[in-house]
Every structure is written in structure tokens, then in C-alpha cells.
Amino acid sequence: MTWHAKLFVRLIGFQMEKRLGYRKRGRKLLQMGLRSSPRSPVLLQAWGLHELQEGNGLMAYGLLSSSAKYNPQNAKVLKWKAVQEIGRTWHALRARALRRRAGSET
């Protein structure tokens, strides 16, 4: 089976599990897909949108940003108001962590 076919099977499986209410099993399918295709913008975006719906904004933003890095067309999602608000928080937390790391290295 080609990697495209495997990707498609993972996405279909994820959607089915999600619709049936098995969110954890759906998430596991996305993780398995990303193990075999770690730079798949399709899987990254699907997982990011899933996490956004689940209320896991910071994780969602990281996944959606990675998706946009590998496929610039996916950057449209980063312009959504809710995602932009999460992005500001994500960047502030990241900057704080970098400052702490820089302070501990001196």
C-alpha cells in the first residue's frame, strides 16, 4: 500500500471514530499516521483541528502551525480569530520559556 493510501485510510478511520464518539481512538489513528508521515500537512491539520474542537488550543496551534509550514495553503486556518487568539498566548508562553532557558544557561 502506498503512503498516500495509508494516509487516506488513517484519515477515514479518524473521521469514523470521531463520529462514533471514540475521540481517543481517532487521535491514536492520527498519531500512527504521523509516525509514518511526520511531515504530512494533511494529518497535522486534521489533528490540529481536532484538538481545537476538543479545547486543547495550545496543542492545536502548534499542530496547525506545523501544517502551514509544510503546506502554505494551510496557513488560512491560522487567520481564524479563535486561532489567532490562541497563537498570541502560544507565542507569549514560548517567549517566556526561551527567556527562562537563556537565564538558566548563564
Side-chain angles (χ1 to χ4, degrees):
M1 187 181 298
T2 67
W3 70 271
H4 289 307
K6 288 179 185 177
L7 175 71
F8 182 72
V9 168
R10 297 275 190 242
L11 282 172
I12 295 299
F14 163 70
Q15 290 297 332
M16 288 176 58
E17 296 289 347
K18 187 175 168 186
R19 286 190 182 132
L20 292 171
Y22 301 117
R23 289 182 164 88
K24 287 183 182 180
R25 289 187 352 199
R27 184 181 285 135
K28 193 163 245 157
L29 284 171
L30 290 173
Q31 290 170 338
M32 288 169 51
L34 282 169
R35 266 189 244 126
S36 61
S37 301
R39 294 181 177 180
S40 168
V42 174
L43 288 174
L44 288 164
Q45 187 172 48
W47 192 2
L49 293 173
H50 172 72
E51 294 299 337
L52 189 62
Q53 290 172 342
E54 293 292 306
N56 302 323
L58 295 176
M59 184 173 186
Y61 187 80
L63 291 163
L64 293 170
S65 295
S66 294
S67 172
K69 181 172 83 173
Y70 297 122
N71 183 351
Q73 290 180 338
N74 291 353
K76 295 173 188 174
V77 174
L78 298 175
K79 295 179 182 176
W80 295 354
K81 185 178 178 180
V83 175
Q84 286 182 341
E85 290 172 8
I86 294 166
R88 284 191 284 277
T89 302
W90 189 87
H91 286 291
L93 290 171
R94 185 166 186 262
R96 186 183 313 159
L98 290 173
R99 283 194 302 272
R100 282 186 189 155
R101 189 179 306 152
S104 67
E105 291 176 1
T106 56

